[in-house]
């Protein structure tokens, strides 16, 4: 009846640091085998929990600037003093294979992606409160007090940008937040603009035949009744 677009969906997820965005995305990847998280390149220092090549590809500031010149990035930004960029690389390839691609990027990058791919799904994750966010950052123990203050100020500004996104999910209870993001992506797959073709798959003669078959079955039932 319906032929859907085969290409995967581009999903852009943003959130201030300390919103548990990473955990939401991990949960989402566990639920969906046909989903891929793009690995960004950054010039920021490696944190304790980082795995090079998995959480990010780490390069120096100079190496990053060289990559910019080589047109390596789909988008990039300077966030809290460090470069972050989405490599063009395998994104188109994955989408063409029908795999959904997640970009975990901040708002400036998301706004650049919106210009390039307006049909992408833009999801913003919020903490239940800014106090919770600061507590989570403190608990993570990877940033200095000054850096946490800087992240708080950035988050304060970022939260006002939420209306530029298509969806907002508050990450209070992790499982609920994962379910909500998952539901958003599944609902987006049913959008009518993802339909490539609508066609009638049954001819009138076939319906006649089906109705005749029903009559025969009915007759047989009657015979059976008589024998009883
Ligand atoms: P963090 O230092 O906490 O890992 O990341 C800081 C911010 O950079 C986060 O909001 C994260 O989503 C964002 N970010 C990570 N990779 C990219 C990227 O490739 N492009 C952009 N624009 N932002 C990114």
């Amino acid at each position: 009846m319906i032929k859907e677009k085969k290409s995967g969906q581009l999903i852009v997820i943003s959130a201030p640091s300390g919103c548990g965005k990473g955990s939401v995305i991990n949960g989402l990847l566990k639920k969906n085998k046909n989903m891929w998280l793009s690995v960004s390149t950054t010039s920021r220092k490696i944190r304790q929990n980082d795995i090079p090549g998995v959480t990010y590809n780490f390069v120096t500031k100079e190496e990053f600037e060289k990559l910019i010149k080589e047109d390596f990035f789909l988008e990039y930004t300077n966030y809290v003093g460090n470069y972050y960029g989405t490599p063009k690389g395998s994104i188109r390839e994955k989408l063409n294979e029908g795999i959904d691609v997640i970009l975990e990027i901040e708002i400036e990058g998301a706004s650049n992606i919106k210009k390039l791919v307006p049909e992408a799904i833009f999801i913003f994750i919020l903490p239940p409160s800014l106090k919770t966010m600061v507590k989570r950052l403190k608990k993570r123990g990877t940033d200095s007090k000054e850096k946490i203050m800087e992240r708080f100020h950035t988050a304060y500004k970022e939260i006002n940008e939420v209306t530029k996104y298509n969806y907002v999910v508050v990450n209070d209870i992790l499982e609920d937040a994962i379910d909500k993001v998952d539901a958003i992506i599944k609902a987006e797959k049913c959008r009518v603009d993802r339909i490539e073709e609508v066609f009638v798959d049954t001819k009138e003669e076939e319906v006649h035949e089906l109705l005749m078959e029903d009559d025969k079955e009915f007759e047989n039932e009657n015979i059976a009744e008589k024998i009883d």
Side-chain angles (χ1 to χ4, degrees):
M1 293 285 285
I2 276 167
K3 190 175 162 209
E4 278 177 47
K5 272 184 200 159
K6 281 203 189 81
S7 62
Q9 283 170 301
L10 187 62
I11 304 144
V12 177
I13 301 186
S14 302
S17 311
C19 285
K21 172 184 50 177
S23 309
V24 173
I25 293 175
N26 282 341
L28 210 57
L29 291 169
K30 270 189 202 140
K31 272 180 180 253
N32 297 280
K33 297 292 160 242
N34 211 31
M35 202 175 261
W36 180 75
L37 173 65
S38 164
V39 181
S40 295
T41 304
T42 184
S43 65
R44 86 145 157 74
K45 284 202 187 100
I46 302 182
R47 290 192 200 125
Q48 209 181 354
N49 295 338
D50 279 319
I51 307 168
V54 178
T55 45
Y56 286 106
N57 285 312
F58 293 92
V59 296
T60 62
K61 185 172 167 273
E62 291 70 31
E63 281 168 334
F64 198 103
E65 284 168 352
K66 191 166 169 267
L67 290 170
I68 296 173
K69 284 194 192 120
E70 288 168 3
D71 197 24
F72 180 76
F73 298 111
L74 185 62
E75 65 73 37
Y76 71 91
T77 194
N78 196 307
Y79 183 87
V80 200
N82 297 306
Y83 281 122
Y84 295 85
T86 308
K88 283 183 187 169
S90 12
I91 293 179
R92 186 172 297 141
E93 204 180 290
K94 296 278 179 196
L95 291 173
N96 284 341
E97 283 171 25
I99 295 169
D100 296 329
V101 174
I102 299 185
L103 302 184
E104 185 202 326
I105 60 178
E106 51 67 67
I107 49 167
E108 197 186 309
S111 138
N112 288 332
I113 295 289
K114 197 160 195 175
K115 285 176 209 144
L116 294 170
V117 194
E119 67 275 23
I121 309 166
F122 295 85
I123 305 172
F124 202 87
I125 297 176
L126 279 179
S129 73
L130 283 179
K131 206 170 170 185
T132 315
M133 186 197 86
V134 171
K135 276 187 188 165
R136 282 178 185 165
L137 284 174
K138 230 178 123 191
K139 201 172 155 203
R140 190 164 77 181
T142 51
D143 289 313
S144 63
K145 280 186 183 155
E146 291 72 33
K147 204 78 182 169
I148 292 178
M149 207 59 210
E150 207 176 328
R151 287 189 186 276
F152 168 77
H153 284 137
T154 309
Y156 196 88
K157 278 188 240 145
E158 281 178 345
I159 285 167
N160 292 316
E161 302 291 317
V162 68
T163 50
K164 293 185 182 155
Y165 285 69
N166 304 120
Y167 299 94
V168 60
V169 172
V170 174
N171 182 17
D172 192 357
I173 298 162
L174 178 63
E175 280 313 312
D176 289 352
I178 296 168
D179 284 347
K180 282 181 190 167
V181 177
D182 192 42
I184 290 167
I185 296 167
K186 291 201 164 73
E188 282 280 335
K189 284 197 185 290
C190 303
R191 284 179 71 101
V192 284
D193 48 15
R194 275 188 64 83
I195 298 171
E196 217 161 63
E197 201 188 332
V198 181
F199 54 93
V200 178
D201 63 352
T202 312
K203 290 186 195 131
E204 201 177 319
E205 300 91 90
E206 287 178 278
V207 179
H208 280 301
E209 260 173 48
L210 271 173
L211 293 174
M212 294 297 282
E213 271 174 28
D214 280 355
D215 284 348
K216 272 180 216 156
E217 268 172 35
F218 190 63
E219 277 165 23
N220 288 343
E221 265 174 31
N222 283 346
I223 295 167
E225 263 173 31
K226 276 175 203 160
I227 292 169
D228 269 353

